[in-house]
Amino acid sequence: MRRPLIAGNWKMHKTVREASEYIRELNELPWDDSVEVAVIPPFTCLFAFWEARSRSRIRYGAQNMFWAREGAFTGEISPLMLLDLGCDYVLLGHSERRQIMGESDRMINDKLRLALETGLLPILCVGETLEERESGKAKEVVGEQVRWGLQGVSPHPGLVIAYEPVWAIGTGVNATASDAQDMIRFVRDIIQKEWGAQAAQELRILYGGSVKPENIGEFMVQDDIDGALVGGASLDPKVFADIINFRST
Ligand code: 13P
């Protein structure tokens, strides 16, 4: 049985003070411990999570990292610095980084291999654009992103993949639960071919793109969807808790 993971990606939102307040509020709300909860705040807010770690049930991680341990890389953050702040996870290959910052599959693969080597768990984001979906290329694109992202990587039970169709991110238009299930099953089949049946059964694959309390239930009843990567709706702890408590929402 795969433990559901609900992860909130704050993107470029919140100050350290706001993060501390959020951590306190979310921890005070009731949630079901059978669900793993993680927040992926901006780098500067990680300190608030580290500081609250002894009284917080929230796991956390970073939105990006560099592909080297240290060196003359002005403006970049090493995985060792993230581990130093207690991070479990690191998001890699988010479509905003692929599209706005021009990150390539090669760079993402370099980062992913170093993340695992140093002890961070990558959440590898994949997803097609609207144009790619409309031209019938969605599976080809997502398949390539998965294969490239995991090139040279041996099976790892802690790794997470997030399927986030670009057209569903921040638009309010989510993928249908059955389309998301179909793509996520396709990704699991690739993992099975590359890593074998057991690794494919263990790997958690999330859906992301306009997830909210009103639609989380539809995704979570699908066989292959193990959780969600939530953007906008994770910014308010009460709304995020309603997503975490999808069984009773
Ligand atoms: P929204 O939930 O705001 O659509 O964002 C999804 C996302 O990009 C999470 O990484």
Side-chain angles (χ1 to χ4, degrees):
M1 269 296 278
R2 299 183 292 267
R3 187 180 181 205
L5 169 61
I6 303 291
N9 172 11
W10 286 359
K11 308 192 178 182
M12 201 173 71
H13 294 284
K14 295 194 191 292
T15 61
V16 179
R17 187 186 294 264
E18 287 164 347
S20 300
E21 185 64 13
Y22 181 108
I23 295 165
R24 192 184 52 72
E25 275 186 49
L26 184 57
N27 276 297
E28 279 170 3
L29 293 165
W31 29 276
D32 176 357
D33 273 330
S34 65
V35 177
E36 182 184 335
V37 175
V39 169
I40 315 293
F43 291 124
T44 47
C45 293
L46 287 171
F47 182 74
F49 285 81
W50 182 81
E51 201 179 36
R53 70 200 179 285
S54 64
R55 50 182 193 281
S56 173
R57 292 179 289 157
I58 311 166
R59 297 183 85 186
Y60 55 95
Q63 297 175 11
N64 183 30
M65 56 169 259
F66 193 61
W67 57 73
R69 289 166 197 255
E70 63 178 356
F73 304 107
T74 302
E76 293 296 333
I77 301 277
S78 151
L80 304 180
M81 298 167 184
L82 301 178
L83 287 162
D84 187 41
L85 279 177
C87 288
D88 287 309
Y89 291 109
V90 62
L91 275 194
L92 294 176
H94 192 282
S95 64
E96 285 149 18
R97 297 209 58 84
R98 290 178 192 264
Q99 297 199 319
I100 306 168
M101 257 58 77
E103 283 195 14
S104 66
D105 284 314
R106 172 72 199 273
M107 292 176 192
I108 294 160
N109 177 252
D110 283 346
K111 294 178 183 195
L112 193 140
R113 285 184 289 111
L114 184 62
L116 287 174
E117 222 176 278
T118 53
L120 281 172
L121 299 174
I123 302 178
L124 172 65
C125 303
V126 296
E128 81 285 359
T129 62
L130 186 60
E131 200 186 347
E132 289 159 346
R133 172 153 289 257
E134 285 177 344
S135 57
K137 292 205 176 107
K139 282 192 173 149
E140 190 186 318
V141 168
V142 169
E144 282 297 291
Q145 290 173 342
V146 171
R147 277 184 281 265
W148 259 102
L150 299 182
Q151 201 164 49
V153 176
S154 7
H156 194 294
L159 185 122
V160 177
I161 295 180
Y163 168 56
E164 300 202 299
V166 178
W167 47 272
I169 295 178
T171 58
V173 182
N174 55 279
T176 64
S178 68
D179 281 351
Q181 160 63 27
D182 181 54
M183 185 63 90
I184 287 176
R185 167 64 62 89
F186 168 76
V187 171
R188 200 176 298 287
D189 287 345
I190 296 177
I191 300 299
Q192 175 152 347
K193 281 193 207 101
E194 305 272 326
W195 284 0
Q198 194 188 335
Q201 271 317 305
E202 283 172 4
L203 183 93
R204 289 185 296 182
I205 309 179
L206 316 180
Y207 167 76
S210 299
V211 171
K212 36 190 177 276
E214 296 75 33
N215 61 22
I216 183 69
E218 298 160 32
F219 292 109
M220 296 307 292
V221 294
Q222 304 293 323
D223 286 348
D224 286 280
I225 303 184
D226 303 314
L229 184 55
V230 186
S234 72
L235 292 173
D236 178 328
K238 290 192 197 68
V239 178
F240 192 45
D242 283 342
I243 295 175
I244 296 164
N245 290 315
F246 60 86
R247 291 195 179 92
S248 47
T249 301

